[in-house]
Amino acid sequence: MSQNQKKTTSKNDNKIDDRQNWFKKVMKNNPDIRNLRERVFPLSRTESFARIFGAGQEETKQKLNDDIILQLIMQHLMAVGFRKTKTILEEETGIKYQPHYVRDSRLQNLVRVAIKNVDLVWDQTIKEQENQLDQQTGNIDLVGHLRSLGLEVEDDDDYDLTSIWDDEGEKKNIIYTEKTENKNTTKEEMKEIEAASLNKLVEILTHEKQRNVLYTKTFLMTYQSFTSPRTLLTKLTQRFHIPKEMEEIYKDKKTIIQLRVCNVLKFWITDYFEDFNSKVLTELQDFIDNSLNSEKFNKIGSTLSLIIKRKMEQKNKKGHIFYDPPPEPKLPKTIFSPKLNLFDVDPEEIARQITLIEYNIYEKIKPSELLKLAWSSPKLRHRSPNVIQMIHRFNLISGWVATAILKGERVKERGKSLRWFINIASHCRKLNNFNGLMAILSGLGSSAVHRLKHTFDELPEKFFEELDDLETDLSSEKSFANYRTLIKEIKPPCIPYFALYLTDLTFIEDGNPDVIEGLINFQKRRLIYDLIFGIQIYQKPPYNFQSIHQILRLLQNLETLDESELYTLSLKVEPRKCLRSEID
Amino acid sequence: MTSKFLTEVQQKVVVLGDFSVGKSSLILRVSKNEFLEEQESTIGAAFINFSVNVDNKPNQIQIWDTAGQEKFRSLTPIYYRGAIGAIVVYDVSREYSFQTAKEWVEELKEKANPKLIIALCANKIDLLEEKKKLLKEKEYADENGLLIYETSAKTGKGVTEMFVDFSKNLPKDQGREIFNDDFFEEEFFNIELHNGEKKTEKTICC
């Protein structure tokens, strides 16, 4: 349905506007219709799903072979009582009917399994949800949404369930890096782990002698790429409870190991409290109440409980304290007018507000969102809400830039908007908002805008140079060599060009195996740690600007046309090879 | 003189395609090969640079990878602008990724440099059953004048061959030709162009 809509609208460009505005207005004013539409919406997904996986399609044939189909037919025959027909079918095909004892029919089960396994379903479901992002709050409850559709999100886990104390066998459970393997030392702590089993990694994390802060940090930041919070908690609990038969061997070390476990827990709760969902949190609380209640440990126990309590209270609290007042906002006279137009606002102020919005998303990105390329994998995408927001925002800004320029019917108008956007881009650059800068540049560089020769001719020389400089800073040449040098020298606050991290992560992920000889490749996690650490550096220093709600509201509801609409519009305002004299 | 300019200008090739079709793996696979120039591959994995001899003349090829950025829809035109070749990758084990590949090809044909050489790369052929011969895909490539390659980044099969063969198919005289007045209309705002020009000026004055 939506495709048909698009086709008709692009035929008549003037109406695109009206229609979209009308639609937004109607949805806003009639929550009932909106509600109904949301309920009916999955139908369109079913339809597109059926197109790809309908009977006779390649994918379907692969999954549903003749045997399965025959079983289904026989099940049906049995259900309606045609036993004889079933027997004949069995004889003729040479396939024996396998009775199905589960309450639901085999078909239902097949469909359920299929839906779970098909990336496309996850993909489309999440895509729809993204389109309906609540722009005001920026919240997306993907997990909840997926659940409501019967797509249960699982912790992919049970990596290693042998107890941490039973892992001492002959099996090789650790490999050291080549450069440290042959070091002239027998001391384990001098060696760097290349790969190890989960039990071994946790053992080292809580080792009685080795203490390596960087190791702990790397582990806690990246463990979700090889196990789940729940398993980690189980392993730590196991480690704390040294079995009776081993107490003799660990007599002197027992208390140290137990203290180490408590320290790791403290570190974990303090830095990654978001890892604890209600289930894991209950288990943690159980551990504190039942295992840390001895005289020796109850002080530690209450400290941990206190940290948890504080974290729970903080969950919804945020805000930064600045010693200096923010710079005076640059506001137009129309700021309180309901007809406030973004074009009336000073480019510098727009850049500030764009930066505030982006910083607020960037700041929230958690390391776990960046593991296992979750943002690009249909089944893991629910783990990356803020990364998705970041991408969404980027596309929104560049779409807006292109739309706003192309909305100018006359060359002069377009030239004026072009200058305005270049000004905003320069201010983003001055604010070290490279992400916003790149979003604007990609709007200016989109196919629909980039071809507007006459519009660019309107630019004074100065603007060309300006734009040229900005593009050089963010040139993709040599894998963004210019930018990579630049960002090392800038003074925060800063919003880095985010997409580049995602490329780098992709190369780290694809270029290094997760597992070496059956052991967790820890060296790979070090690379990931370094990269995510680089992201975190810029998450802390905040921007000190006054947020202007009137402007933010407009920047959160930007109007964008889709790419094909933009291109059609572009060809309309400046037809191919037209002369300046031929257009207005 | 012109030919001197041409040997100075590197030829840009972009790799496009749906997520997890193996774009980065192709690059990683080829970057382990010997014909790469050492110093370039250290700058960043997403970028490789190599030269192929065509008619006894070295052709400098730069390969850009967009892996990880598939969801930034607005970025792609920036990547393919100034490129003279594009390799559109799809995953033979995922029918859907071929649909996406077709969309890419259409976009490139409509909006990119009209002289762009486009190749279709059928990746992950290690996952393909023997009997399948990619007939549909080959027909599509034929109809649209695309080169077609079958690769497996996992086993390495066909990867180096693809990059070398593709490079040989790039027009040797690109550089200049592509930025002549005719094309200027579409491409007048080009980062590559400016860098290229600066480079030539230097060569000339030295």
Short mmCIF file of all heavy atoms in Angstrom, two decimals, chain A residues 308-326:
data_model
loop_
_atom_site.label_atom_id
_atom_site.label_comp_id
_atom_site.label_asym_id
_atom_site.label_seq_id
_atom_site.Cartn_x
_atom_site.Cartn_y
_atom_site.Cartn_z
N ILE A 308 24.19 -0.53 44.46
CA ILE A 308 23.02 -0.90 43.65
C ILE A 308 21.88 0.09 43.90
O ILE A 308 21.25 0.57 42.96
CB ILE A 308 22.55 -2.33 43.99
CG1 ILE A 308 23.64 -3.34 43.59
CG2 ILE A 308 21.24 -2.66 43.29
CD1 ILE A 308 23.37 -4.76 44.03
N LYS A 309 21.67 0.40 45.16
CA LYS A 309 20.57 1.30 45.50
C LYS A 309 20.77 2.67 44.82
O LYS A 309 19.87 3.23 44.22
CB LYS A 309 20.51 1.48 47.02
CG LYS A 309 19.17 1.98 47.51
CD LYS A 309 19.11 2.02 49.03
CE LYS A 309 18.21 3.14 49.48
NZ LYS A 309 18.82 4.03 50.46
N ARG A 310 22.00 3.16 44.92
CA ARG A 310 22.29 4.46 44.30
C ARG A 310 22.08 4.41 42.80
O ARG A 310 21.53 5.32 42.20
CB ARG A 310 23.74 4.86 44.58
CG ARG A 310 23.88 5.49 45.93
CD ARG A 310 25.03 6.48 45.96
NE ARG A 310 25.47 6.63 47.33
CZ ARG A 310 26.61 6.17 47.80
NH1 ARG A 310 27.47 5.56 46.99
NH2 ARG A 310 26.92 6.31 49.06
N LYS A 311 22.54 3.31 42.21
CA LYS A 311 22.40 3.18 40.75
C LYS A 311 20.93 3.17 40.35
O LYS A 311 20.54 3.75 39.35
CB LYS A 311 23.07 1.88 40.27
CG LYS A 311 24.56 1.96 40.25
CD LYS A 311 25.03 2.69 39.00
CE LYS A 311 26.52 2.95 39.09
NZ LYS A 311 26.99 3.77 37.96
N MET A 312 20.10 2.47 41.15
CA MET A 312 18.68 2.40 40.83
C MET A 312 18.06 3.79 40.87
O MET A 312 17.24 4.15 40.04
CB MET A 312 17.94 1.52 41.84
CG MET A 312 18.43 0.10 41.92
SD MET A 312 17.72 -0.91 40.65
CE MET A 312 16.24 -1.43 41.49
N GLU A 313 18.48 4.58 41.86
CA GLU A 313 17.94 5.93 41.98
C GLU A 313 18.40 6.81 40.84
O GLU A 313 17.67 7.66 40.35
CB GLU A 313 18.36 6.55 43.31
CG GLU A 313 17.60 5.97 44.49
CD GLU A 313 18.28 6.25 45.81
OE1 GLU A 313 19.35 6.89 45.81
OE2 GLU A 313 17.75 5.80 46.85
N GLN A 314 19.65 6.57 40.43
CA GLN A 314 20.23 7.41 39.38
C GLN A 314 19.67 7.14 38.01
O GLN A 314 19.74 7.97 37.12
CB GLN A 314 21.73 7.15 39.31
CG GLN A 314 22.56 8.16 40.04
CD GLN A 314 24.01 7.74 40.05
OE1 GLN A 314 24.45 7.05 39.14
NE2 GLN A 314 24.74 8.14 41.06
N LYS A 315 19.13 5.95 37.86
CA LYS A 315 18.73 5.47 36.55
C LYS A 315 18.02 6.53 35.71
O LYS A 315 18.28 6.67 34.54
CB LYS A 315 17.84 4.23 36.67
CG LYS A 315 18.47 3.03 35.98
CD LYS A 315 17.59 1.82 36.10
CE LYS A 315 18.22 0.66 35.35
NZ LYS A 315 17.47 -0.58 35.56
N ASN A 316 17.12 7.24 36.36
CA ASN A 316 16.36 8.21 35.57
C ASN A 316 16.89 9.63 35.70
O ASN A 316 16.36 10.55 35.12
CB ASN A 316 14.89 8.17 35.99
CG ASN A 316 14.33 6.79 35.79
OD1 ASN A 316 14.54 6.18 34.75
ND2 ASN A 316 13.66 6.27 36.82
N LYS A 317 17.93 9.73 36.49
CA LYS A 317 18.46 11.07 36.71
C LYS A 317 19.62 11.32 35.77
O LYS A 317 20.42 10.44 35.51
CB LYS A 317 18.94 11.20 38.15
CG LYS A 317 18.32 12.40 38.88
CD LYS A 317 19.06 12.65 40.15
CE LYS A 317 18.44 11.92 41.35
NZ LYS A 317 19.27 11.99 42.54
N LYS A 318 19.70 12.50 35.27
CA LYS A 318 20.91 12.85 34.55
C LYS A 318 21.07 14.36 34.54
O LYS A 318 20.23 15.09 35.03
CB LYS A 318 20.93 12.27 33.14
CG LYS A 318 19.82 12.77 32.24
CD LYS A 318 20.08 12.32 30.84
CE LYS A 318 20.53 13.50 30.03
NZ LYS A 318 20.83 13.29 28.70
N GLY A 319 22.13 14.82 33.95
CA GLY A 319 22.36 16.24 33.90
C GLY A 319 23.79 16.55 34.29
O GLY A 319 24.42 15.79 35.01
N HIS A 320 24.29 17.60 33.71
CA HIS A 320 25.67 17.97 33.98
C HIS A 320 25.69 19.31 34.69
O HIS A 320 24.81 20.13 34.52
CB HIS A 320 26.44 18.09 32.66
CG HIS A 320 26.37 16.85 31.84
ND1 HIS A 320 27.18 15.78 32.07
CD2 HIS A 320 25.56 16.50 30.82
CE1 HIS A 320 26.89 14.82 31.21
NE2 HIS A 320 25.91 15.23 30.44
N ILE A 321 26.72 19.47 35.47
CA ILE A 321 26.85 20.77 36.15
C ILE A 321 28.00 21.53 35.50
O ILE A 321 29.10 21.01 35.36
CB ILE A 321 27.13 20.57 37.65
CG1 ILE A 321 25.96 19.82 38.27
CG2 ILE A 321 27.36 21.90 38.33
CD1 ILE A 321 26.29 19.09 39.54
N PHE A 322 27.71 22.72 35.09
CA PHE A 322 28.75 23.54 34.47
C PHE A 322 29.09 24.69 35.40
O PHE A 322 28.22 25.23 36.08
CB PHE A 322 28.25 24.12 33.14
CG PHE A 322 27.94 23.07 32.13
CD1 PHE A 322 26.63 22.64 31.95
CD2 PHE A 322 28.94 22.52 31.34
CE1 PHE A 322 26.34 21.67 31.01
CE2 PHE A 322 28.65 21.56 30.41
CZ PHE A 322 27.35 21.12 30.24
N TYR A 323 30.36 25.07 35.40
CA TYR A 323 30.75 26.21 36.23
C TYR A 323 30.54 27.52 35.49
O TYR A 323 30.22 28.54 36.06
CB TYR A 323 32.19 26.06 36.71
CG TYR A 323 32.29 24.91 37.68
CD1 TYR A 323 32.76 23.66 37.30
CD2 TYR A 323 31.83 25.08 39.00
CE1 TYR A 323 32.80 22.61 38.21
CE2 TYR A 323 31.86 24.04 39.91
CZ TYR A 323 32.35 22.80 39.51
OH TYR A 323 32.37 21.78 40.40
N ASP A 324 30.72 27.45 34.16
CA ASP A 324 30.51 28.68 33.39
C ASP A 324 29.11 28.70 32.82
O ASP A 324 28.55 27.64 32.53
CB ASP A 324 31.52 28.73 32.23
CG ASP A 324 32.93 28.78 32.75
OD1 ASP A 324 33.16 29.50 33.75
OD2 ASP A 324 33.79 28.05 32.20
N PRO A 325 28.55 29.88 32.66
CA PRO A 325 27.23 29.93 32.00
C PRO A 325 27.39 29.60 30.52
O PRO A 325 28.47 29.80 29.95
CB PRO A 325 26.81 31.39 32.20
CG PRO A 325 28.08 32.14 32.36
CD PRO A 325 29.06 31.19 33.01
N PRO A 326 26.35 29.05 29.91
CA PRO A 326 26.44 28.78 28.47
C PRO A 326 26.50 30.08 27.69
O PRO A 326 26.09 31.13 28.20
CB PRO A 326 25.14 28.03 28.18
CG PRO A 326 24.19 28.44 29.24
CD PRO A 326 25.02 28.73 30.46
#
